[in-house]
Amino acid sequence: MFTGIIECTTQVHGLDYQKNNFCITFKNPFSDGIKINQSISHNGVCFTIIDVKKKTYSVIASEETLRCTNLNVLKMKDEVNLERSMKINERFNGHIVQGHVDTTAEVLDIEKKNGSWLFSFKSKKNLSGLAVEKGSIAVNGISLTIIKCTQHIFNVSIIPYTYEKTNLQLVQIGDFVNIEYDILGKYVREYMNSNSKLYN
């Protein structure tokens, strides 16, 4: 499990299709070491490390992961956001992020607002019942607060620290980002839908 607080970014070092799977190798930015079977969030996608070298490590993306995320457009030297799984004895600074991306969203607009940035996104999936104003959402693994949302479009404000420490500074209009809705909202919607079916 993750919290959406990005530790750092790293670059794609290698890309290799293996049948329907996609092996992705990244430069290793962690000075305190990582190991095989460790979980790390990459642009919001939870991956298990399958191989570790001196300066790199590798993960495997399945066909399903490529279908519902932006990882299928990765190129060499692209920057991705990283977060290692949370420790139970640390502060919970973001929100509950599982690393299970729900869909992607297109960047509609980026507006500089006197020291911060206002990003507008268009989700491929309907946001009704999944996103609310002042609620949480993960964008490329970053825990953010929704300012305004409609059925498909939502806005978030990015402070300078988040902008400088994540790959949002490299995102352009027309790009696609990974979206994970708040798990609490998903459970509530499922509960309401189940109860609705019982009484119909």
Side-chain angles (χ1 to χ4, degrees), residues 6 12 29 41 57 59 64 70 85 90 101 131 133 138 149-150 159 166 178 183 185:
I6 303 303
V12 176
S41 168
Y57 66 91
V59 301
E64 172 63 15
N70 64 6
S85 55
E90 291 189 347
V101 169
E133 293 180 11
C149 65
T150 61
I159 62 173
T166 70
N178 293 328
I183 185 61

Side-chain angles (χ1 to χ4, degrees), residues 30-161:
F30 300 111
S31 59
D32 52 349
I34 54 176
K35 59 184 180 180
I36 292 174
N37 288 333
Q38 186 174 348
S39 294
I40 298 180
S41 168
H42 300 73
N43 275 359
V45 183
C46 178
F47 280 125
T48 299
I49 296 174
I50 62 165
D51 185 51
V52 178
K53 300 287 194 249
K54 187 174 181 180
K55 295 183 179 180
T56 64
Y57 66 91
S58 300
V59 301
I60 288 282
S62 67
E63 186 177 17
E64 172 63 15
T65 299
L66 294 177
R67 184 189 65 80
C68 64
T69 71
N70 64 6
L71 296 178
N72 58 354
V73 296
L74 276 182
K75 304 182 299 296
M76 295 290 291
K77 296 186 177 181
D78 275 358
E79 293 278 339
V80 299
N81 296 327
L82 299 181
E83 180 191 358
R84 287 174 287 185
S85 55
M86 66 175 293
K87 295 180 180 179
I88 198 167
N89 62 340
E90 291 189 347
R91 292 185 185 276
F92 205 106
N93 291 310
H95 72 282
I96 298 173
V97 179
Q98 293 183 296
H100 302 158
V101 169
D102 293 295
T103 187
T104 58
E106 182 182 1
V107 182
L108 292 183
D109 190 43
I110 304 171
E111 183 181 356
K112 194 165 184 179
K113 303 282 285 186
N114 194 27
S116 63
W117 288 261
L118 182 67
F119 278 71
S120 297
F121 301 98
K122 183 177 181 180
S123 172
K124 283 188 175 181
K125 291 186 178 180
N126 193 317
L127 296 168
S128 298
L130 292 168
V132 294
E133 293 180 11
K134 310 305 179 186
S136 297
I137 197 166
V139 176
N140 271 0
I142 309 163
S143 176
L144 297 171
T145 301
I146 297 170
I147 297 176
K148 183 179 179 181
C149 65
T150 61
Q151 287 191 340
H152 286 279
I153 296 172
F154 68 95
N155 301 333
V156 296
S157 181
I158 307 299
I159 62 173
Y161 182 87

Side-chain angles (χ1 to χ4, degrees), residues 7 10 16 43 45 115 120 124 141 170 197:
E7 293 185 69
T10 193
D16 180 31
N43 275 359
V45 183
S120 297
K124 283 188 175 181
L170 304 173
K197 291 175 184 177

Side-chain angles (χ1 to χ4, degrees), residues 9 110 119 162-172:
T9 64
I110 304 171
F119 278 71
T162 302
Y163 187 83
E164 293 164 6
K165 298 297 181 179
T166 70
N167 62 8
L168 286 183
Q169 62 180 295
L170 304 173
V171 168
Q172 299 179 6

